[in-house]
Amino acid sequence: GWYDINTIIDGIKDIDYDMIFVDGPKARIGRGGFLVHLDKFKNDVPIIIDDTCSRSEYILMEKVAQELGKEYVLVESEKKDHSFGLINFDRKIIDEFLKK
């Protein structure tokens, strides 16, 4: 149902990544595989969960934050038709971003 986790692990094993952006797959497959395989990724980097205006993505954001013992921040567009969640971000950076 989700991405091939072995392909992902092989693809990132030599990369010193400093952020995770979760944006797929949507619809029937969903992004829940990210939570199932959370232990395969760095947990000390910022994580962005896109499309949290969708109930399933919002729940994923909550569960990932809970699993990591971190707080999350929901960032919504002015029209409330798009949102994303931030996990493991420096609070000062988030507060400054949200002021703009």
Side-chain angles (χ1 to χ4, degrees), residues 16-31:
D16 186 24
Y17 58 94
D18 55 7
M19 184 179 77
I20 298 171
F21 188 87
V22 181
D23 188 26
K26 288 180 83 171
R28 186 175 52 92
I29 295 173
R31 300 174 186 170

Side-chain angles (χ1 to χ4, degrees), residues 12 15-20 34 38-47 68 88:
I12 65 174
I15 298 173
D16 186 24
Y17 58 94
D18 55 7
M19 184 179 77
I20 298 171
F34 178 67
L38 191 58
D39 63 320
K40 308 287 192 289
F41 299 93
K42 290 182 181 181
N43 62 16
D44 61 343
V45 298
I47 300 171
L68 296 176
N88 212 20

Side-chain angles (χ1 to χ4, degrees), residues 8-80:
I8 294 172
I9 292 169
D10 287 344
I12 65 174
K13 68 181 176 189
D14 296 325
I15 298 173
D16 186 24
Y17 58 94
D18 55 7
M19 184 179 77
I20 298 171
F21 188 87
V22 181
D23 188 26
K26 288 180 83 171
R28 186 175 52 92
I29 295 173
R31 300 174 186 170
F34 178 67
L35 180 62
V36 171
H37 298 289
L38 191 58
D39 63 320
K40 308 287 192 289
F41 299 93
K42 290 182 181 181
N43 62 16
D44 61 343
V45 298
I47 300 171
I48 299 172
I49 310 270
D50 199 25
D51 301 317
T52 52
C53 51
S54 163
R55 179 167 166 70
S56 59
E57 272 57 278
Y58 187 91
I59 291 169
L60 174 66
M61 172 188 64
E62 288 182 316
K63 288 183 176 181
V64 168
Q66 180 181 12
E67 184 72 25
L68 296 176
K70 305 288 183 176
E71 71 172 283
Y72 65 85
V73 174
L74 181 65
V75 180
E76 296 179 291
S77 70
E78 291 179 12
K79 297 179 183 178
K80 307 249 189 234

